[in-house]
Amino acid sequence: QVQLVESGGGLVRPGGSLRLSCTASESILSLNVMGWYRQAPGKERELVALRTTGRTTSYAGSVKGRFAISRDNSKNAVSLQMNSLKPEDTAVYFCYGSRGAATHWGEGTQVTVSS
């Protein structure tokens, strides 16, 4: 079972930036897809960004142009650069990895955007 550990969350003012990182306990080369989901209070978990081993990326419409996902297989890590943050980006952000039907989740890191 791959362990995923997130870091980099915190409190930021609207318009600010944060960078989230996710480190895996073993090689991520076998994980076809890695990415980030988020869950705001009272809402369902939603996709934020995904990146495949083939470098294909996918973003939620609400973050496109503001967030950027990157993947470093040599460091077993995936990161999410978040710019121009808005209060509606406030949520717990979860790292995600999958290989076929097998999925792996981190425990999440809180991001709060507030003045």
Side-chain angles (χ1 to χ4, degrees):
Q1 180 78 1
V2 178
Q3 306 296 321
L4 301 175
V5 179
E6 303 97 338
S7 62
L11 173 65
V12 63
R13 293 188 176 184
S17 299
L18 278 177
R19 184 176 181 87
L20 304 183
S21 295
C22 171
T23 302
S25 58
E26 58 186 74
S27 173
I28 63 172
L29 288 174
S30 63
L31 299 177
N32 305 104
V33 180
M34 290 199 73
W36 296 89
Y37 283 72
R38 68 185 181 186
Q39 187 166 18
K43 295 187 177 181
E44 294 187 354
R45 193 172 296 191
E46 64 175 3
L47 168 69
V48 177
L50 294 175
R51 179 161 179 156
T52 70
T53 51
R55 301 187 180 183
T56 300
T57 57
S58 177
Y59 294 94
S62 60
V63 307
K64 195 171 293 185
R66 299 189 296 122
F67 291 12
I69 188 171
S70 59
R71 175 173 177 161
D72 189 337
N73 292 329
S74 68
K75 296 182 179 179
N76 298 325
V78 63
S79 298
L80 185 69
Q81 178 66 41
M82 306 186 294
N83 300 324
S84 301
L85 283 160
K86 303 176 182 180
E88 51 263 43
D89 295 318
T90 295
V92 178
Y93 284 69
F94 297 90
C95 183
Y96 165 87
S98 70
R99 178 181 61 212
T103 59
H104 310 278
W105 294 92
E107 294 188 351
T109 185
Q110 177 71 45
V111 172
T112 302
V113 185
S114 174
S115 56

